[in-house]
Amino acid sequence: MAKSSWRTKIKTVLALIWLILTFSTVAWWLVYSLKRTDISDAAHRMFAWEGSILLAAILIGGGMMTILTYKDEQRQHRLQFFFSTFSHDIKTSIARLRLQADVLEEDAEQSKNPIFKRLIYDITRLELQLENSLLLSNLEEGFFTEEFSLSSVIKLLRNDFSDLKIELNQDAFIKADKRAFLSVIRNLFQNSVLHGKADSVQIHAQIDASNIQISFLDNGTGFQGDLQKLGEEILQSQGSRGNGIGLLLSKHLINKMNGHVHFRPSNQGFKTDIQIPGRLA
């Protein structure tokens, strides 16, 4: 948010600089023209009228531009405050629901109830949708790059996808924004479970030039449409098939972290390759 605030302040400063520079230049031209003695009185009057109108237009237009830019900055601050408050309140409520669900899950009979499993699933999906919405609204924000292990990210997601067998064949250390990368992997797992009906996914990391290539392959039904459209546009939702917004967001996030995402054809399941800065463990 600090980076966004800095950008809005720059706009106001640039508007003021433009106003001062343009107004000063036209004012100097007007004064110089009126001091000339080698022109007629009619020309003096023409310069006086034209110069005065031009100065007034610059002053009014530049002043309005500066005021509107400042108001836009204030509106941006209010939106940031709203999103911060909204996301905090919603995340707190979801955390309470998840805590209550975890308590109920300790009851063996309750945990086998299909309605209870559906509740856990809906909470996880709601949390993911909220995270996606917040990330989409803040794609221009800066990312905090740190080094973390792929296994640590997988560990954080195992509880959310308890019915998905996750096999990590090769660990790696990744240089990226951990929160954004976590959202990418969460979207991939959600896509495998919800749309591919997969119950297992294999993950393997290997060296790819100066980056790490992480491959995800599930045992689901795969994608029956055009792979070229995945991650490039929002798809038309058909029945249980999603609109691809999770994969679209994932590709944008990886690109922001100096990486690349490729959705590959596979004989079975759905395969995703991610190239991102890092090293093997």
Side-chain angles (χ1 to χ4, degrees):
M1 292 185 179
K3 188 175 182 179
S4 177
S5 177
W6 178 79
R7 287 178 177 175
T8 53
K9 289 182 183 298
I10 284 293
K11 293 179 182 179
T12 305
V13 172
L14 289 176
L16 282 172
I17 292 175
W18 178 88
L19 174 61
I20 295 171
L21 181 62
T22 309
F23 187 87
S24 301
T25 302
V26 175
W28 175 85
W29 167 81
L30 178 61
V31 171
Y32 173 78
S33 300
L34 294 178
K35 286 184 177 181
R36 293 180 58 181
T37 58
D38 58 336
I39 58 177
S40 63
D41 291 341
H44 268 284
R45 288 193 296 272
M46 181 187 70
F47 281 129
W49 276 104
E50 289 181 352
S52 299
I53 293 173
L54 185 56
L55 283 176
I58 291 175
L59 186 62
I60 294 174
M64 289 298 297
M65 181 177 65
T66 304
I67 292 173
L68 290 176
T69 305
Y70 176 76
K71 287 185 176 181
D72 182 67
E73 177 187 347
Q74 298 301 310
R75 183 179 65 87
Q76 185 73 14
H77 282 305
R78 290 195 296 270
L79 283 174
Q80 289 177 350
F81 178 75
F82 166 76
F83 276 117
S84 298
T85 305
F86 174 77
S87 62
H88 176 268
D89 292 342
I90 294 297
K91 284 183 177 181
T92 300
S93 300
I94 293 176
R96 289 176 178 173
L97 285 174
R98 180 174 290 280
L99 180 61
Q100 294 174 5
D102 290 340
V103 173
L104 291 174
E105 193 175 16
E106 295 178 359
D107 186 343
E109 294 183 2
Q110 188 72 21
S111 62
K112 296 179 182 179
N113 191 327
I115 298 179
F116 175 77
K117 290 185 176 181
R118 180 67 184 179
L119 173 63
I120 296 293
Y121 172 78
D122 286 341
I123 292 174
T124 302
R125 188 175 182 183
L126 177 62
E127 187 176 15
L128 177 61
Q129 290 174 338
L130 173 63
E131 187 71 17
N132 285 345
S133 299
L134 293 174
L135 286 171
L136 276 174
S137 65
N138 291 280
L139 275 179
E140 297 303 319
E141 299 291 334
F143 289 90
F144 175 71
T145 302
E146 59 179 318
E147 186 175 73
F148 54 90
S149 66
L150 177 60
S151 57
S152 66
V153 173
I154 303 302
K155 183 179 179 181
L156 291 173
L157 295 174
R158 287 190 184 276
N159 290 335
D160 293 341
F161 299 92
S162 56
D163 293 334
L164 182 65
K165 183 181 179 182
I166 304 172
E167 297 182 9
L168 179 59
N169 300 322
Q170 174 62 55
D171 199 5
F173 288 101
I174 301 164
K175 294 181 180 179
D177 185 291
K178 189 172 184 178
R179 173 173 170 261
F181 189 80
L182 180 66
S183 177
V184 170
I185 308 306
R186 190 193 299 270
N187 274 292
L188 291 179
F189 287 173
Q190 180 77 1
N191 181 77
S192 296
V193 173
L194 179 62
H195 305 300
K197 309 302 179 183
D199 57 15
S200 72
V201 57
Q202 294 187 1
I203 307 171
H204 182 76
Q206 62 185 11
I207 293 292
D208 180 31
S210 59
N211 292 335
I212 291 293
Q213 176 172 300
I214 307 171
S215 299
F216 299 82
L217 178 62
D218 64 39
N219 66 341
T221 58
F223 181 70
Q224 306 303 321
D226 186 2
L227 284 174
Q228 300 296 326
K229 294 183 178 180
L230 283 181
E232 299 294 336
E233 58 185 57
I234 296 178
L235 306 177
Q236 184 176 0
S237 181
Q238 298 178 357
S240 61
R241 174 182 165 186
N243 55 14
I245 192 171
L247 298 181
L248 176 67
L249 173 63
S250 298
K251 189 164 188 176
H252 279 299
L253 290 175
I254 292 296
N255 289 341
K256 286 284 186 179
M257 294 184 287
N258 301 317
H260 302 281
V261 176
H262 302 282
F263 304 109
R264 309 288 191 187
S266 176
N267 294 330
Q268 180 182 3
F270 186 76
K271 184 178 182 181
T272 304
D273 289 338
I274 296 178
Q275 285 89 30
I276 196 166
R279 59 185 176 87
L280 291 178

